[in-house]
Amino acid sequence: MGQWSSTSNNLSSLSLSLSLSRSLLFFSFEIDRSNTNKQASENSLKIGENSRSAMEALRQRTEFLRESLEKSKILTETMVAKLGSFDSRLSTLDSAMRPIQARTHAVRTAHENIDKTLRSADVILSQFDKTHEAEKIIMRGPNEDLKGYLEAVDKLRSVARFFSSNKSYKSSDGVLSNVNSLLAKAISKMENEFQRQITSRSKAVDPDKLFDCLPSSLRPSSESPSHPSETGKNLTNGNLSEKQEVAVYTPPTLIDPRFVPLLSKLAQQLVQAGHHAQCLKLYRDARASALEMSLKNLGVEKLSKEEVQKMQWESLEAKIGNWIHFMRIAVKLLFAAERQLCNKIFEGVDSLKDECFAEVTSNSLSVLLSFGEAVAKSKRSPEKLFVLLDMYEIMRELQPDIEVIFEGKACREMQESALTLAKRLAQTAQETFTDFEEAVEKDATKTTVADGTVHPLTSYVINYVKFLFDYQSTLKQLFQEFGTSGDEANSQLATVTMRIMQALQTNLDAKSKQYKDQALTYLFLMNNIHYMVRSVRRSEAKDLLGDDWIQRHRRIVQQNANQYRRVAWAKVLQCISAQGLTSSGGTGVGESGSGGASRALIKDRFRSFNIQIEELYQRQCQWTVPDPELRESLRLAVAEILLPAYRSFIKRFGPLVENSKNPQKYIKYTPEDLEKMLGEFFEGKAAVEVRR
């Protein structure tokens, strides 16, 4: 058909060319004839002018031209006739070609339709081939080749999409029904495979492995962390030099990384199939169980509020110390690792990713927080303040991690629960702090220290205050929880500390009145206030309470020491005083009579002195001044008033007694003996015998 069309076009072009040629020939002939006529006229003129002979030549030429024109006319008419005949034949040929051209176009269109149909058939057949290949793999199941199984599912999905978008095919509905049936079986098998894979690969993390993931400064020693003073405090803010270092936590690997991509593909296939709930349940059951077992192996217990409240303090203190350690491991290692794993497996499915993580960690976090809540709500007591501060401290430390790990709407409630616990611990700690101040002032224990040494309450309160300064930053943060600014927090800590010290002093004054011996009252106050001053000077409380406080209380110590000397030694000094022994103007030496001391009175004075000094020795050797410097200072202060007075008395009245019978009965001790005896005072010894 194409050949016939080409021939027709060529003939049309030839007809046009002939028409143009004919027109050109007629135009050329007219020009030649005009030129010839002009030339003939010119020649005639020349003949008329020149000679008759030229006329003959012109006639001959004219005849020649006439003959030439006649021939040209004949040729032109012949050519026109031929061209007209040829044009007619071309028109006939063109009419004959039109049916052939139509049939050729129809054949070409049919050929194109056949090619298109064959190509469509190939595509449909390829879909059937894909379905057949995928069906074989689906029926075998995912156990042998999980990767190939997932690829087969993808093929089935592409076949389903193809026939869904080409509903015009007669076989579309049947094929779609078959493919969807295969996909349903595939999804069911994938659910089973996902459950098998996630369950078999979800194992509890060994505690030793978790400890290896901690910074070296926080790893437990070879002994189990059973001492809360070590576990709680040292792991929070005790090791200051280590705390300044950057602590690196390395979350453990929960599932072999080689299997995570396949688990992720399985999860994505289940989600694409609309099995969100099934996928979440399978993942939650496997991972939550592994997480809870990891914490249980670590030592985390699920305790009720009642169990916590009934617990003995020593046991509870140990569990609180362990809880602090467990919270750090749970948040920074286990929960962080669970978040990373969940993000990888459910990559691209944000809503399910957060929901799965929340489902996995909810119960474990609840168990940990519930213990903290139980402690915060338990009966307050002064000794709980520091563990409460430890607990508050760890919650503040972990807060940034909790905000990052438990992000998203699904985890919002868990994040708020952690923040609520931190605030509740702060509130309980502050209330316990206030309770402690009142408890110190109102302590009514009947415990007395018979030797006048430092009272257990004093050492307890001072140690309490010292520990408070280990928690300065925590206490400031705690005060700020309730709207106190940074500078005000410093001032508030100083104010509270001063109030506690004043409460202690008030209580000591009350306890000192329990002593029947007033000298022991002053010795007791001297010892306890001196202990307070010395402890403050050697601690950070010095900067907080200030030099004025120290100087003021040092004067109180000295006042009590002076009062002790006055009360304890007044009678002894009175025995060796000349007052009442001599008359006015007398010499003090003589047998008896006016102006002289009575020998009997002198003997009585020596006798009374010996009795009293021995009683003081026996009693005050049992008393205690625990500070060596204070003890020696007090002995020296007594010696400075006792020994000179005794020497003076012996020198003045000794000769009167020495001349009597048995003078050693009265002058039993030399000044040196007394000095040695004083050297044994305030040692806290058991009952002693008088040394000679």
Side-chain angles (χ1 to χ4, degrees):
M1 188 67 183
Q3 185 177 1
W4 285 110
S5 176
S6 177
T7 304
S8 175
N9 292 336
N10 291 337
L11 290 174
S12 299
S13 299
L14 179 59
S15 175
L16 178 63
S17 298
L18 289 173
S19 299
L20 292 173
S21 298
R22 184 171 60 183
S23 299
L24 290 172
L25 285 173
F26 279 117
F27 181 70
S28 177
F29 177 74
E30 289 296 327
I31 293 173
D32 289 341
R33 187 167 61 178
S34 174
N35 291 335
T36 303
N37 291 334
K38 183 179 180 182
Q39 185 176 3
S41 298
E42 291 175 354
N43 290 337
S44 295
L45 291 175
K46 289 180 180 179
I47 292 173
E49 293 176 356
N50 296 325
S51 64
R52 191 176 287 276
S53 59
M55 288 296 291
E56 185 63 24
L58 180 59
R59 186 185 62 79
Q60 291 177 356
R61 285 184 180 180
T62 301
E63 189 66 25
F64 175 77
L65 286 174
R66 186 180 291 110
E67 290 176 357
S68 296
L69 288 172
E70 204 56 43
K71 289 179 181 180
S72 178
K73 181 179 179 181
I74 294 170
L75 287 174
T76 299
E77 289 176 351
T78 302
M79 181 60 70
V80 169
K82 287 182 179 180
L83 287 173
S85 175
F86 190 67
D87 188 39
S88 176
R89 281 180 289 174
L90 282 176
S91 178
T92 303
L93 181 62
D94 185 53
S95 298
M97 288 293 293
R98 284 196 186 97
I100 297 174
Q101 289 176 350
R103 288 195 297 273
T104 302
H105 178 70
V107 171
R108 184 169 64 248
T109 301
H111 183 72
E112 290 175 353
N113 289 336
I114 291 171
D115 288 342
K116 184 177 180 181
T117 302
L118 289 174
R119 286 195 298 271
S120 297
D122 287 340
V123 172
I124 294 172
L125 289 173
S126 69
Q127 299 301 317
F128 280 104
D129 290 340
K130 286 182 181 179
T131 304
H132 184 65
E133 293 171 1
E135 183 176 9
K136 291 180 181 178
I137 298 174
I138 295 300
M139 298 311 292
R140 284 200 302 265
N143 295 342
E144 296 180 6
D145 180 13
L146 180 58
K147 185 177 180 181
Y149 189 88
L150 294 175
E151 290 174 354
V153 172
D154 287 335
K155 285 182 180 179
L156 282 179
R157 291 189 189 282
S158 69
V159 171
R161 286 193 297 270
F162 174 82
F163 284 103
S164 295
S165 60
N166 292 278
K167 291 285 188 177
S168 58
Y169 297 144
K170 293 182 179 180
S171 59
S172 293
D173 293 339
V175 175
L176 276 174
S177 177
N178 182 47
V179 169
N180 288 331
S181 176
L182 283 174
L183 280 174
K185 292 179 182 179
I187 295 301
S188 177
K189 291 185 178 183
M190 277 196 296
E191 277 188 19
N192 295 332
E193 182 63 16
F194 184 72
Q195 181 180 24
R196 187 183 73 83
Q197 290 281 348
I198 196 69
T199 302
S200 64
R201 305 194 186 285
S202 294
K203 305 295 182 183
V205 183
D206 186 79
D208 290 337
K209 185 178 179 181
L210 289 173
F211 295 149
D212 291 340
C213 295
L214 290 169
S216 58
S217 60
L218 298 180
R219 293 173 190 170
S221 60
S222 57
E223 299 179 357
S224 61
S226 58
H227 300 289
S229 60
E230 297 175 3
T231 307
K233 188 61 189 167
N234 289 350
L235 290 178
T236 51
N237 63 356
N239 298 325
L240 296 179
S241 60
E242 294 177 349
K243 191 179 179 182
Q244 293 171 355
E245 299 176 2
V246 177
V248 178
Y249 296 85
T250 308
T253 300
L254 302 179
I255 291 180
D256 191 329
R258 293 176 299 172
F259 301 102
V260 171
L262 290 177
L263 285 169
S264 178
K265 289 181 180 179
L266 278 171
Q268 289 175 5
Q269 291 284 358
L270 294 176
V271 171
Q272 287 178 18
H275 291 218
H276 295 74
Q278 296 91 322
C279 184
L280 186 151
K281 181 180 183 302
L282 294 175
Y283 186 84
R284 177 199 62 204
D285 291 347
R287 290 306 314 152
S289 176
L291 175 61
E292 289 167 16
M293 186 57 66
S294 297
L295 290 173
K296 184 177 180 181
N297 293 342
L298 189 64
V300 175
E301 300 177 81
K302 187 175 183 179
L303 298 171
S304 67
K305 179 181 176 181
E306 292 73 20
E307 289 175 318
V308 171
Q309 291 179 342
K310 292 178 182 178
M311 208 171 290
Q312 294 295 321
W313 167 240
E314 291 76 12
S315 177
L316 179 60
E317 189 179 17
K319 289 188 181 298
I320 290 173
N322 290 336
W323 178 85
I324 291 169
H325 198 33
F326 298 154
M327 278 298 299
R328 181 181 283 108
I329 290 176
V331 173
K332 287 186 173 289
L333 299 181
L334 288 172
F335 293 158
E338 287 291 349
R339 171 54 89 174
Q340 292 176 3
L341 178 64
C342 208
N343 288 350
K344 290 177 182 177
I345 290 181
F346 296 99
E347 185 176 3
V349 191
D350 292 340
S351 59
L352 191 60
K353 176 171 58 181
D354 292 341
E355 190 175 357
C356 278
F357 175 73
E359 291 278 347
V360 168
T361 56
S362 176
N363 188 58
S364 295
L365 181 63
S366 177
V367 169
L368 289 165
L369 296 182
S370 64
F371 177 83
E373 289 280 351
V375 174
K377 293 179 180 179
S378 63
K379 185 178 179 180
R380 298 193 301 270
S381 60
E383 64 270 13
K384 288 184 180 178
L385 175 61
F386 298 108
V387 294
L388 287 168
L389 290 175
D390 285 335
M391 294 172 74
Y392 170 72
E393 200 169 61
I394 192 63
M395 292 306 298
R396 290 291 306 176
E397 176 190 328
L398 297 177
Q399 196 63 43
D401 298 275
I402 291 173
E403 289 176 358
V404 172
I405 295 171
F406 293 89
E407 64 177 352
K409 184 178 180 180
C411 300
R412 187 171 302 161
E413 185 176 345
M414 302 164 71
Q415 191 179 125
E416 290 175 354
S417 296
L419 183 60
T420 299
L421 174 58
K423 291 182 178 179
R424 183 159 291 149
L425 287 168
Q427 182 179 356
T428 305
Q430 188 184 50
E431 292 170 353
T432 303
F433 205 1
T434 304
D435 292 346
F436 177 69
E437 180 187 341
E438 296 176 359
V440 170
E441 186 171 1
K442 297 177 180 179
D443 178 67
T445 56
K446 300 298 182 181
T447 303
T448 57
V449 285
D451 58 355
T453 189
V454 176
H455 196 279
L457 178 65
T458 304
S459 58
Y460 177 75
V461 172
I462 293 302
N463 287 333
Y464 204 93
V465 171
K466 284 181 179 178
F467 277 122
L468 285 178
F469 285 96
D470 288 339
Y471 290 88
Q472 279 192 76
S473 59
T474 306
L475 286 168
K476 290 174 185 176
Q477 182 64 48
L478 186 145
F479 293 143
Q480 290 174 19
E481 286 276 0
F482 301 95
T484 305
S485 65
D487 293 337
E488 290 175 346
N490 280 330
S491 176
Q492 188 170 352
L493 181 58
T495 301
V496 171
T497 305
M498 285 185 178
R499 287 206 307 260
I500 291 174
M501 300 296 270
Q502 184 57 48
L504 173 61
Q505 192 171 342
T506 300
N507 191 281
L508 290 173
D509 287 337
K511 290 189 183 320
S512 69
K513 292 178 172 57
Q514 297 176 2
Y515 295 105
K516 295 179 180 180
D517 190 331
Q518 197 172 12
L520 189 55
T521 294
Y522 293 119
L523 189 76
F524 171 79
L525 290 173
M526 179 196 71
N527 278 329
N528 282 269
I529 296 175
H530 178 268
Y531 182 82
M532 292 168 61
V533 173
R534 186 189 62 177
S535 299
V536 167
R537 289 179 63 192
R538 295 178 179 179
S539 72
E540 295 179 71
K542 177 182 178 181
D543 297 331
L544 201 63
L545 296 177
D547 290 334
D548 289 344
W549 186 94
I550 293 173
Q551 294 303 323
R552 185 168 66 255
H553 285 77
R554 287 181 70 178
R555 287 195 295 271
I556 294 174
V557 172
Q558 189 59 48
Q559 289 169 6
N560 282 289
N562 294 338
Q563 288 290 79
Y564 156 78
R565 284 186 306 170
R566 182 184 64 80
V567 173
W569 296 93
K571 291 183 179 180
V572 174
L573 293 174
Q574 188 177 0
C575 290
I576 56 177
S577 170
Q579 186 178 2
L581 292 180
T582 60
S583 60
S584 179
T587 64
V589 179
E591 291 290 335
S592 63
S594 61
S598 167
R599 186 189 299 272
L601 188 55
I602 295 297
K603 289 181 179 180
D604 187 61
R605 286 287 188 91
F606 273 113
R607 204 166 25 246
S608 296
F609 174 81
N610 293 335
I611 292 171
Q612 290 188 38
I613 198 70
E614 288 169 2
E615 288 178 353
L616 285 175
Y617 175 78
Q618 289 179 338
R619 186 164 62 251
Q620 295 196 28
C621 281
Q622 298 178 54
W623 293 359
T624 302
V625 177
D627 184 76
E629 292 182 6
L630 181 62
R631 182 170 62 244
E632 192 58 36
S633 173
L634 191 59
R635 288 170 179 170
L636 183 59
V638 172
E640 285 178 349
I641 60 171
L642 175 65
L643 298 182
Y646 187 61
R647 287 192 180 97
S648 175
F649 189 78
I650 291 177
K651 182 178 180 182
R652 187 172 182 182
F653 299 105
L656 186 60
V657 177
E658 288 173 354
N659 295 330
S660 65
K661 188 179 180 180
N662 298 324
Q664 68 277 6
K665 180 180 177 181
Y666 306 104
I667 307 177
K668 293 174 66 174
Y669 304 104
T670 65
E672 289 72 21
D673 292 333
L674 293 179
E675 188 172 6
K676 289 180 181 179
M677 291 169 69
L678 286 175
E680 298 181 30
F681 275 41
F682 318 125
E683 292 284 353
K685 298 179 179 180
V688 294
E689 295 182 0
V690 178
R691 294 187 178 185
R692 293 295 306 273

